[in-house]
Amino acid sequence: MDLAQPRTLKLFVSSIVENKDEIEEKYERSYNVLQTLIAGLSEKEAQNALNIAVCKEKTHEDLSLGLLFSILTEPENATRSYRDLMLITRDGLAIVLSHLSQLLMDRYVRLKDVVRSQVLWLVREMIRNAVANVDNLCWILMRHAVGGDVSSKNINLIEALLDIYQDNRTWLDKFPVLIASVVYTFLRLIEDHSSPALNALRQKEVTFVVTLLRERFADCLVIGRDLVRLLQNVARIPEIELLWKDILSNPKGLCSTFTGILQLMQTRTSRRFLQSRLTPDMERKLVFLTSQVRFGYHKRYQEWFQRQYLATPESQTLRCDLIRFIVGVIHPTNELLCSDIIPRWAVIGWLLTTCTSIVAAANAKLALFYDWLFFEPDKDNIMNIEPAILVMNNSMRSHPAVTAALLDFLCRIIPNFHPSLVEKVRTGIYASLRQILEKRVLPSLCPLFDHPKLDQELRSMVHETFKEFCMPPVVEEKSFVNPGIKEEPAEIVNLDGTENHNRGITGTNNHLDEPAFSDDEEDQTGLGSGGRHEDEEDDDDIPLAKVRLKERPGRGAARDSGSPDLISQLEGDIRKTVESLRAENDNEAKCQAAERLVQLVIQEEPSGEALSTLASCLCSVLQDDLEGKIFPAEVTDEAVEDSIGRPLFVLLRGAAQMPEDDSRRLPLLALLAEMAGHMPRLGYLLLYFLKACKLSEVKASVYKDFCQALDRDLEASLLADLKLCQEEDVPLLCWLVPEVYAQFPDVAVDHVGLLHLVVAAVDAAQLQDLVCRIMQGQLMMFRHPDSFRALLSASLAWETFEQFCLWQLVTAHGIPVDYILPILPRLEYAAHAEALTAILLMLKQERPTAELLRHLLSREVRPPSDVFVVSTLKYWCREHEERLGELVAGLLASRCGGNPATHTSPGKRGKRGGGGGGGNAGGRGGAAQAAAAAAAAAAGPPTTEQVLGHLDQLRQCSGCLYGLDTVQRALQQAQTACNDAQRKRFSDLFALAEADDLETPPPPPAPTTGTKGRPSGGGRGRKAANKAAPTKRAAPKEVSESSEESSEVNK
């Protein structure tokens, strides 16, 4: 096969002005490695060659990526390449899936059409072969099925995904979370496919979604209230209309645990679903805009976003997705609240005012107020309701029509949402308004509800609907001012300023094009306390500026499932025991009941609906254990022992204490897995229990069996459980980390995601504790050089403090600098300051070697900004000048085609002081050895120009090193070997050798004893009283012409 062929194979669509993509370059290099290995071989010979080569770790990755590149770019060879890929894989295609996921997340919009088609082909093949973790790829692909887009490319993707799910329904049924995501995605997309040309696709989507909802409604309950919102948008489709009738009149016909629409409306939708309706590229743009763009400088960004995503009539429906994302996912940090970054209310106001469709505008208002309707202060988040009140308040001055429309909608939604839920909706909206006042989002609602710009009819309706909120405040005026809010002289300006800044939020703040929303920039004077007085259970903060999320999925579902009616569905002794467990108040009695329940589960082995019902009941009965604080504030053996003396841990102990091969623990594990579906934190509570109870011999096996019962991969489960632990209890995470690394070293050691969880959460004291454990030998987080380098590469995108923590851990492990050298040349001085600073301090502790110098000088020469190499060389000159001179001379001579061993000598032309330590006085042996080592690497980087460039940069800021005879002769040799352009470019550097040659007298005759007989006194500090003292070289002069070679002859 022609090796030039990969140059014509491309992953991405690119123009002539775009730089070559580094990801594509990596794939092409891997493809070239593959082609070099199998070129000219028969099919059987190629397979044998692949099997032999794959034994090497690096080669395994290169070959896997090379075959993946072939599959994506060569459809005619895809079948053979996929077969070879399955033949050589040693990790279940984990490397392929990881790189493919990154490719789809970061570069999907740039992929060529043929590559997109091949991605779908590959996903289909991997599903057929039951490859693990393909469901994650499907989720990523669904994110690229854009709402509000009926272009041919988008429709083709939607149809392909729909066909994959329909053809592989058995596989799909194994992933409840994916089922919920599929239903949420396609239910949203049905709304866009109303044109006659898309009738066939729409009917396929409707049939598929309705089938999933009817057959797997229990799995779809996790979607929560936004499932109802999406069903409302397509309610007039006949099949959906019939489904609505069953939801309203026969809920248990869909699912035995489903009690009605109220259950869905009281469950807040996870941010994962809201996030899934924006493409990764769109999400990145929004996060950038709302975390970097200042309020008042946003117009050009809004115009760009409008052109990119909201330019077509069909894209009107996308506004609802954007508003739900802003409200439910993007929550601000204190830093952003105090800054002049675009506030959330302004983005939403812009989206509302630029909406041109009446139907889309009504749906956008519903999306904005949706979390108000069934708001519960103890379960929901103030940040989900504050954008709406601030849009109304801040729009009053320049866009009163916006405020009037929203207030009218808020009044009318109470009686019109659903006849049977009128009081529930009223209660939810009232609770929202009370929370707004309690959290000081607004000091008072009276100025808004009774504003003179509202027409009399609307004001009357508002007064009638919200009587208790229309009364002027009875407290003194000064009580409205929080310490963080700057008091304004005028009441309305004060409200605008307060809200304006309360909502300076990181989330999706993007489209503030309207002048109305820019006018308020002057009023952004303070931090409204409502913006940051979040309750302890806030669970949706996006992790910008190290904000810790507090999401607790399943809480609402667990509360709803704990009714006595559900317990009544249990039978026999299990029912009696659960009722006893529910009724008891004494902890010891509850533990005894839990112990009886363990025995009953072992004996009766419940399954199916009985198991699911029992799990739901236990999640409700043990709610305090599952949701309360478990980890003690002061960690002692007694406190930890007391913390696991609860009924929940009796169930865990029952599974943990049985032998690994005892089949009786399978029903218990099945029960725990079912409970974990309702309460995900059960996973990390199991890890906590296994460490606390000190059952060292079964810890890993119990958790692995638990993951198997969940039908989840160990790595994914471990990461998900620790992620949830990080969000809810960082001290517990830090306490678990050493145990996790000790019990699951194959997964945890060198794991990028796990390490990032740790460094993103720890504070200085917790980091100190981890370092101490590492030094005591209780914790090992790094092991393999290749995976460690991959980890370092991934860490370059982390926050500064996260990277600082990483390098502290690296230092504690005593990682040799050799592990880090391969990534050194590609680190940028400005962009990767954290890593380069840490590496510089490591190099300070090292003695220069040929390998260190080779990697160091392989960095690009970027004077004067990048002083990394110069700083290292100058420090080494102070401590190891002669040694460094030998290495530099050897490396330079090897790059210029000479033999450095015949041109080196450890002596100096002129000594720079009477003292000095650490110099090498070993004679020719050390120089020859160093030169040989340098010559061995002559085939690779650095190039001649890199070596000369760094030496020239050193010349400009220091005169050290150039007084050494070895360096002088190497420069003379380099000057002779270089071409004219190089001589001209580095003329000042070569002038050092010429000036020294002109000004230094010939040396005295060599001693008769030869080099080996030369006395070796004390290195750099030795005296030479009986010899002719070498002349010190004068300051370098500008020499215009090249000097002849020195007449000195080495003995």
Side-chain angles (χ1 to χ4, degrees), residues 10-50:
K10 298 294 181 183
L11 290 173
F12 306 128
V13 177
S14 58
S15 65
I16 58 175
V17 298
E18 290 179 319
N19 292 327
K20 194 170 183 64
D21 191 281
E22 59 180 10
I23 293 181
E24 189 167 38
E25 285 184 327
K26 180 177 182 179
Y27 278 93
E28 289 180 355
R29 288 195 299 269
S30 299
Y31 181 77
N32 289 335
V33 171
L34 172 68
Q35 294 303 313
T36 302
L37 183 65
I38 65 174
L41 301 181
S42 66
E43 189 172 322
K44 184 175 181 180
E45 291 172 338
Q47 291 180 356
N48 291 336
L50 289 172

Side-chain angles (χ1 to χ4, degrees), residues 386-587:
E386 59 101 75
I389 197 68
L390 293 180
V391 171
M392 291 190 288
N393 190 72
N394 289 306
S395 302
M396 181 64 79
R397 183 170 55 189
S398 51
H399 272 77
V402 173
T403 302
L406 292 175
L407 281 174
D408 180 77
F409 181 88
L410 191 61
C411 293
R412 296 181 187 277
I413 194 66
I414 296 176
N416 292 301
F417 182 75
H418 192 271
S420 65
L421 299 175
V422 172
E423 290 307 316
K424 291 287 186 182
V425 174
R426 189 190 311 276
T427 301
I429 293 177
Y430 274 45
S432 302
L433 294 173
R434 293 190 189 100
Q435 189 78 352
I436 285 168
L437 295 176
E438 290 176 8
K439 297 296 185 181
R440 311 289 294 185
V441 178
L442 290 183
S444 171
L445 295 173
C446 183
L448 173 63
F449 286 171
D450 199 27
H451 200 282
K453 287 188 178 182
L454 300 177
D455 63 72
Q456 187 59 44
E457 183 181 352
L458 178 57
R459 288 165 66 182
S460 299
M461 183 167 61
V462 171
H463 279 228
E464 182 180 351
T465 307
F466 304 113
K467 291 180 182 179
E468 70 174 84
F469 302 102
C470 295
M471 300 297 294
V474 297
V475 294
E476 296 181 3
E477 183 180 353
K478 63 180 181 180
S479 65
F480 291 131
V481 183
N482 281 336
I485 303 177
K486 181 178 179 180
E487 191 171 6
E488 300 288 346
E491 184 179 31
I492 298 301
V493 174
N494 184 31
L495 293 179
D496 286 347
T498 301
E499 281 128 33
N500 209 357
H501 219 19
N502 272 349
R503 284 19 279 163
I505 291 181
T506 75
T508 315
N509 307 343
N510 193 16
H511 313 294
L512 318 185
D513 198 71
E514 289 297 320
F517 298 107
S518 298
D519 290 343
D520 293 343
E521 183 187 8
E522 299 174 358
D523 299 324
Q524 291 185 337
T525 55
L527 167 61
S529 60
R532 219 35 229 168
H533 287 299
E534 299 176 9
D535 55 79
E536 290 294 321
E537 298 178 359
D538 174 27
D539 62 341
D540 282 326
D541 291 276
I542 197 166
L544 292 175
K546 298 180 290 185
V547 179
R548 290 170 186 165
L549 308 177
K550 298 264 186 172
E551 187 172 11
R552 297 180 179 181
R555 285 184 61 186
R559 291 177 186 271
D560 292 335
S561 65
S563 64
D565 293 340
L566 192 59
I567 296 179
S568 66
Q569 297 178 23
L570 300 174
E571 298 178 354
D573 292 338
I574 289 182
R575 173 180 173 179
K576 295 178 182 178
T577 305
V578 173
E579 289 176 342
S580 174
L581 188 61
R582 182 171 180 265
E584 289 288 352
N585 292 323
D586 179 66
N587 185 66

